């Protein structure tokens, strides 16, 4: 079957639509390239903010879509994707809290659900051929709907730049709010916002203040620290400052509180899945506080071997989420492995927020293995220090035997 025949077979496409320059151009391009097929725009509300969603339906229709579905996924994202992931301790390359990566599976799943609802025979995304997201989306599509055709315009069309896209829309009298003055490429959701492009493409350039949007500069943050209480139940944050909150509401509150203190900024040069390195700045204010609170309770409740195992699970989970393999048996296995350990992570933490730092200064748990009676440097009646001699002789036995043989 020729490419032309395949393209005429596409009658209805569900496009992951943001209203930005790329997806605005994709709608007319799809109609021209795929025999005037019907375009259904799909937008996932993952907490990117009202400003990005305002007027989106009208914009999609005016660009040539027949319908626009905006699906509210905020609570589900935090409860079913973010909380389970951070419970494993997943953090990519030591610093990245996987904000973009964690949102992709739920977006792809919802896009497939819309495609099934409207009877589409194809799904489309606006990811470039250089990035991780193309792999994440298409990996999810393969797992959930292998029968649907996947269209990736950046791998098909001849356009190569923002100038090309703007000219393309202008030629068709399609309005856009985008312009050449847009410096950064950004991706936002309830958990974080990422920034790429502009001066960030040179690792020698320090990010300017214009990069950051969720957090104040640490040097401009209040000169007095703020203390925030978090209560956790089985690896989930349930209360902030004593107030019972849903996962999304807790995250939203902590974003506001921590952002005001400049908490959650990172500037990294990461290894992309496709092989290249990329430089990005990420802001994850509330998530940074949540992650630190979970680790603080873990310090109390997990024994040495359990914590080492959790760290192994977290390292594998971070790579899996980053690589877009959520809907796999391995992901199910890693999440299942984390549950018995997460079930112990209950308690209360007081976080100190100050000038870009989030530090756990108080922590307690009914499951705590810490005993002041055993750990004290003062007099105690529970620990016989003479017992350590036999333990050390056995612990170092292999070294002792090796040394004796060397003589």
């Amino acid at each position: 079957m020729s490419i032309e025949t395949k393209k005429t077979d596409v009658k209805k496409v569900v496009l992951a639509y943001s209203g930005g320059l790329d997806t605005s151009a994709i709608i007319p391009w799809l109609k021209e390239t795929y025999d005037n097929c019907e375009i259904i725009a799909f937008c996932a509300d993952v907490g990117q903010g009202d400003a990005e969603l305002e007027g989106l339906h009208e914009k999609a229709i005016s660009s040539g879509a027949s319908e626009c579905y905006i699906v509210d996924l905020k609570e589900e994202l935090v409860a079913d994707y973010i909380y389970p992931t951070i419970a494993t301790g997943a953090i990519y390359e030591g610093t990245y809290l996987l904000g973009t990566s964690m949102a992709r599976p739920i977006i792809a799943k919802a896009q497939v659900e819309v495609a099934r609802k409207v009877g589409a025979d194809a799904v489309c995304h606006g990811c470039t051929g250089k990035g991780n997201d193309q792999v994440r989306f298409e990996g999810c599509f393969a797992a959930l709907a292998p029968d649907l055709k996947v269209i990736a315009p950046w791998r098909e069309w001849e356009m190569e730049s923002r100038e090309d896209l703007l000219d393309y829309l202008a030629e068709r009298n399609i309005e856009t709010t985008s312009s050449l003055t847009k410096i950064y490429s950004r991706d936002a959701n309830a958990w974080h916002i990422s920034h790429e492009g502009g001066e960030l493409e040179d690792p020698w350039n320090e990010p300017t203040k214009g990069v950051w949007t969720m957090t104040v500069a640490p040097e401009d943050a209040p000169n007095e620290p703020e203390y925030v209480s978090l209560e956790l139940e089985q690896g989930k944050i349930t209360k902030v400052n004593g107030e019972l909150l849903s996962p999304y509401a807790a995250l939203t509150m902590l974003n506001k509180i921590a952002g005001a203190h400049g908490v959650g900024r990172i500037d990294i040069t990461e290894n992309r899945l496709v092989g290249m390195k990329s430089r990005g700045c990420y802001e994850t204010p509330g998530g940074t506080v949540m992650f630190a609170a979970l680790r603080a309770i873990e310090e109390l409740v997990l024994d040495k071997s359990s914590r080492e195992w959790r760290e192994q699970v977290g390292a594998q989970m971070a790579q899996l989420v980053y690589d877009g393999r959520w809907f796999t048996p391995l992901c199910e296995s890693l999440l299942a492995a984390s549950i018995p350990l997460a079930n112990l992570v209950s308690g209360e933490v007081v976080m100190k927020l100050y000038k870009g730092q989030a530090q756990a200064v108080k922590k307690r748990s009914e499951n705590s293995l810490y005993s002041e009676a055993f750990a004290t440097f003062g007099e105690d009646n529970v620990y016989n220090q003479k017992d350590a001699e036999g333990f050390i002789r056995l612990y170092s036995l292999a070294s002792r035997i090796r040394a004796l043989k060397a003589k």
Side-chain angles (χ1 to χ4, degrees), residues 370-392:
Y370 176 80
S371 170
E372 185 177 353
F374 278 93
T376 181
F377 285 98
E379 183 179 352
D380 71 81
N381 56 8
V382 294
Y383 187 86
N384 186 347
Q385 298 197 31
K386 293 180 180 180
D387 292 342
E389 181 178 354
F391 166 76
I392 294 169

Side-chain angles (χ1 to χ4, degrees), residues 18 38 61 117 156 163 177 208 210 243 245 247 250 310 396 399:
S18 67
E38 182 182 358
I61 302 302
K117 179 179 179 179
E156 293 188 34
E163 291 89 344
T177 57
T208 61
E243 182 179 355
L245 297 168
R310 203 278 301 147
S396 60
S399 298

Side-chain angles (χ1 to χ4, degrees), residues 71 74 91 97 115 166 183 196 248 262 280 293 306 309 315 335 350 354 377-378 389 396 400 402:
V71 184
K74 297 189 293 293
I91 183 168
L97 288 172
L166 288 168
I183 301 174
E196 294 178 320
Y248 173 69
S306 295
W309 170 238
L335 290 174
V350 174
Y354 182 66
F377 285 98
E389 181 178 354
S396 60
R400 187 183 305 278
R402 185 177 294 107

Side-chain angles (χ1 to χ4, degrees), residues 203-229:
W204 190 249
N205 289 332
E206 179 182 1
T208 61
K209 285 193 173 183
V211 169
W212 312 100
T213 60
M214 283 184 76
T215 58
V216 304
E219 60 268 26
D220 296 331
N223 292 323
E224 295 296 326
E226 182 171 357
Y227 295 86
V228 183
S229 168

Side-chain angles (χ1 to χ4, degrees), residues 12 67 114 140 159 193 203 212 244 257 270 287 309 316 349:
K12 187 179 291 188
E67 185 54 272
V114 170
C140 292
M159 293 179 282
I193 185 169
W212 312 100
L244 183 64
I257 295 172
E270 70 197 68
W309 170 238
Q316 289 198 48
V349 181

Side-chain angles (χ1 to χ4, degrees), residues 26-278:
I26 285 173
I27 291 178
W29 179 87
L30 282 171
K31 296 177 79 69
E32 294 171 11
T33 307
Y34 286 85
D35 196 32
N36 201 33
C37 62
E38 182 182 358
I39 313 298
I40 309 295
F42 156 77
C43 177
D45 180 2
V46 287
Q48 60 267 51
D50 294 338
E52 290 196 31
L53 299 174
E54 186 177 353
L56 201 64
H57 184 277
E58 294 76 11
K59 189 174 184 179
I61 302 302
S62 66
S63 298
S66 62
E67 185 54 272
C68 179
Y69 288 83
I70 300 175
V71 184
D72 188 345
L73 303 173
K74 297 189 293 293
E75 287 286 359
E76 184 182 356
L77 169 65
V78 184
D80 296 344
Y81 292 79
I82 292 175
Y83 272 22
T85 299
I86 63 174
T88 69
I91 183 168
Y92 185 69
E93 296 191 337
T95 50
Y96 174 41
L97 288 172
L98 298 163
T100 298
S101 313
M102 286 190 290
R104 293 316 185 224
I106 191 174
I107 295 172
K109 179 172 74 73
Q111 186 175 357
V112 167
E113 290 169 353
V114 170
R116 296 302 193 203
K117 179 179 179 179
V118 302
D121 40 38
V123 287
C124 179
H125 63 74
C127 308
T128 73
K130 288 185 176 182
N132 299 309
D133 278 343
Q134 58 181 334
V135 182
R136 294 167 183 154
F137 275 110
E138 294 182 39
C140 292
F141 295 153
L144 301 175
D147 56 302
L148 294 178
K149 177 178 176 59
V150 178
I151 302 173
W154 274 106
R155 303 202 301 257
E156 293 188 34
W157 62 23
E158 299 299 321
M159 293 179 282
E160 297 181 350
S161 65
R162 293 183 62 81
E163 291 89 344
D164 290 344
L165 296 178
L166 288 168
D167 290 343
Y168 180 84
L169 291 174
E171 290 170 2
R172 288 152 181 80
N173 295 315
I174 297 175
E175 293 184 5
T176 177
T177 57
S178 299
S179 69
L180 293 178
T181 59
K182 178 185 176 184
I183 301 174
Y184 307 107
S185 173
R186 290 185 164 109
D187 178 78
N189 58 48
W191 186 246
H192 91 152
I193 185 169
S194 64
H195 315 275
E196 294 178 320
E199 78 266 22
L200 301 179
E201 292 187 349
D202 183 352
W204 190 249
N205 289 332
E206 179 182 1
T208 61
K209 285 193 173 183
V211 169
W212 312 100
T213 60
M214 283 184 76
T215 58
V216 304
E219 60 268 26
D220 296 331
N223 292 323
E224 295 296 326
E226 182 171 357
Y227 295 86
V228 183
S229 168
L230 277 71
E231 293 182 41
L232 293 75
E233 292 183 12
Q234 298 185 330
K236 301 177 179 65
I237 291 83
T238 57
K239 292 183 181 180
V240 177
N241 290 334
E243 182 179 355
L244 183 64
L245 297 168
S246 72
Y248 173 69
L251 176 57
T252 300
M253 177 180 286
L254 288 171
N255 276 337
K256 184 177 180 180
I257 295 172
H261 290 273
V263 170
R265 291 185 176 189
I266 63 168
D267 176 1
I268 61 173
T269 303
E270 70 197 68
N271 288 296
R272 283 186 179 174
L273 175 59
V274 295
M276 70 184 71
K277 286 185 180 289
S278 65

